[in-house]
Amino acid sequence: MTKMTVLAGVLALGLLPSALQAQELRAIGAFPENFVFTREIAMPFTELVAEESGGSLAVSFTGPDAVPPLEQFEPTQAGVFDLLFTHPAYHAGTTPLGLAIDAIAADPEARRSAGILDFIDNYYQQTQGIKLIAAPPTGSVGFRYYLRDPIEGTPAFEGRNIRGTVSYHPMIEALGGTGVVMGGGDVYSSLQTGAIDGAAWGLTGALDFNWHEVASYMADPGFGQVGLMIFMNLDAWNALSAEEQAAIERAAIRLEADSVARFDGLATEERTALLELGMEVTEFAPDDAAQLNALWSNGVWQVAEGGAPEAVGELRALAQSAGLAE
């Protein structure tokens, strides 16, 4: 079992006694210890919590070796873990509302000021016993496709099996393909054997997974935005003092504040590295390229509305009124 432990007192104060007195919050993460999302979101969050709480809180992370990504929501609901770092598509079968964040503009401050995160938080608290802590976007553009073979004509994915969580499927199907649900850790072997012909993923992470060894092409342009989230078991949250809750909230806001610029930089670095490793660019036909964002956004809303139509309709109207969604 992979376990990443950050002792709050050591990080924030440099004092071992404070760390030993810190209250430990147990967290489960959907991504491996050395993966970019863990390095750039989960671990900075643990450090920010330690700093903002003055060493009274420490977060210990367990990765997907302990519990597979698609099975982590229920143990957090049950209190086995206090915190969950994931993408909401991984628990869309339980509730799809959270994945709608991928159709809302990647502007953390605007999302908070418009009440987007408060709406999602209230919904999860009332229906799932889970609190939304943070929703850091991974860049101004979220996704692209990684393919074994280049795009040839339109529809781009005619006859191809493409990995994607349920939120991708309307888009993949509109482009002629068949969506295949699987975790990121299973993509390499599936590309290698030809079980899938490509994979939808963020602009960062393919390098960590070494997909350049089994997929020769990255498709341009990218589209959409990635809405990773940190949740907390509601009972665990309510057990904290007001000061500890405020510290976690400050840590969440700080985590989100520079996430877009930071991940835009990481995406540029990763693209350069993948090209140097031999991956080539393949491009969607102009007609397909022009509709990628609309296909993505409409598909995300479609999937989300299928499981919670009233709540998702309210969320979409709220985002539209703030100019953050179509």
Side-chain angles (χ1 to χ4, degrees):
M1 182 169 62
T2 302
K3 190 165 184 179
M4 301 165 285
T5 303
V6 177
L7 295 175
V10 172
L11 289 172
L13 305 176
L15 299 175
L16 185 59
S18 295
L20 294 175
Q21 294 170 10
Q23 177 179 344
E24 183 182 53
L25 301 175
R26 301 156 300 167
I28 184 73
F31 311 99
E33 178 178 356
N34 62 350
F35 192 73
V36 62
F37 294 163
T38 304
R39 294 194 310 267
E40 300 294 336
I41 297 177
M43 300 318 295
F45 178 69
T46 66
E47 296 172 4
L48 289 168
V49 168
E51 181 181 337
E52 289 292 344
S53 69
S56 68
L57 296 174
V59 179
S60 64
F61 261 93
T62 299
D65 288 349
V67 181
L70 299 178
E71 301 173 15
Q72 295 176 351
F73 191 73
E74 288 78 6
T76 308
Q77 285 180 304
V80 177
F81 300 100
D82 301 308
L83 289 157
L84 169 64
F85 171 50
T86 189
H87 189 284
Y90 286 172
H91 58 258
T94 302
T95 176
L97 182 131
L99 63 82
I101 197 75
D102 283 350
I104 299 174
D107 185 330
E109 184 176 355
R111 286 175 175 178
R112 285 188 175 270
S113 63
I116 300 296
L117 267 60
D118 285 341
F119 185 97
I120 297 172
D121 178 31
N122 289 334
Y123 178 85
Y124 271 85
Q125 287 195 43
Q126 294 170 13
T127 66
Q128 306 298 324
I130 293 282
K131 177 176 178 58
L132 176 62
I133 299 296
T138 62
S140 53
V141 177
F143 303 99
R144 72 157 41 99
Y145 289 97
Y146 302 87
L147 304 170
R148 285 164 52 93
D149 299 305
I151 294 171
E152 296 178 353
T154 183
F157 298 150
E158 185 70 36
R160 303 195 201 196
N161 295 317
I162 306 293
R163 177 270 173 196
T165 55
V166 292
S167 52
Y168 293 97
H169 287 190
M171 180 184 194
I172 292 170
E173 292 166 4
L175 293 169
T178 299
V180 179
V181 175
M182 66 174 62
D186 297 321
V187 171
Y188 185 102
S189 60
S190 297
L191 285 168
Q192 188 176 42
T193 61
I196 59 174
D197 302 294
W201 193 264
L203 271 63
T204 54
L207 183 62
D208 287 340
F209 281 132
N210 293 315
W211 287 352
H212 58 279
E213 297 176 355
V214 289
S216 299
Y217 298 91
M218 66 175 81
D220 277 351
F223 56 92
Q225 48 270 328
V226 180
L228 298 175
M229 291 182 172
I230 298 174
F231 296 96
M232 189 165 186
N233 174 278
L234 190 56
D235 289 339
W237 171 260
N238 289 333
L240 298 176
S241 68
E243 292 79 9
E244 289 168 334
Q245 291 177 349
I248 290 176
E249 289 174 340
R250 291 193 301 272
I253 291 171
R254 289 179 61 188
L255 180 73
E256 293 172 354
D258 70 343
S259 61
V260 173
R262 180 156 39 93
F263 272 90
D264 280 349
L266 291 169
T268 298
E269 293 173 6
E270 176 153 329
R271 179 186 178 90
T272 299
L274 290 173
L275 291 172
E276 290 176 349
L277 288 166
M279 189 172 274
E280 299 179 44
V281 174
T282 184
E283 296 187 356
F284 287 94
D287 287 348
D288 285 347
Q291 62 176 336
L292 288 182
N293 280 312
L295 286 175
W296 168 252
S297 178
N298 290 334
V300 169
W301 288 117
Q302 174 187 328
V303 172
E305 288 169 349
E310 183 175 346
V312 173
E314 292 179 21
L315 177 60
R316 188 172 192 177
L318 180 63
Q320 287 172 331
S321 69
L324 297 174
E326 298 295 330

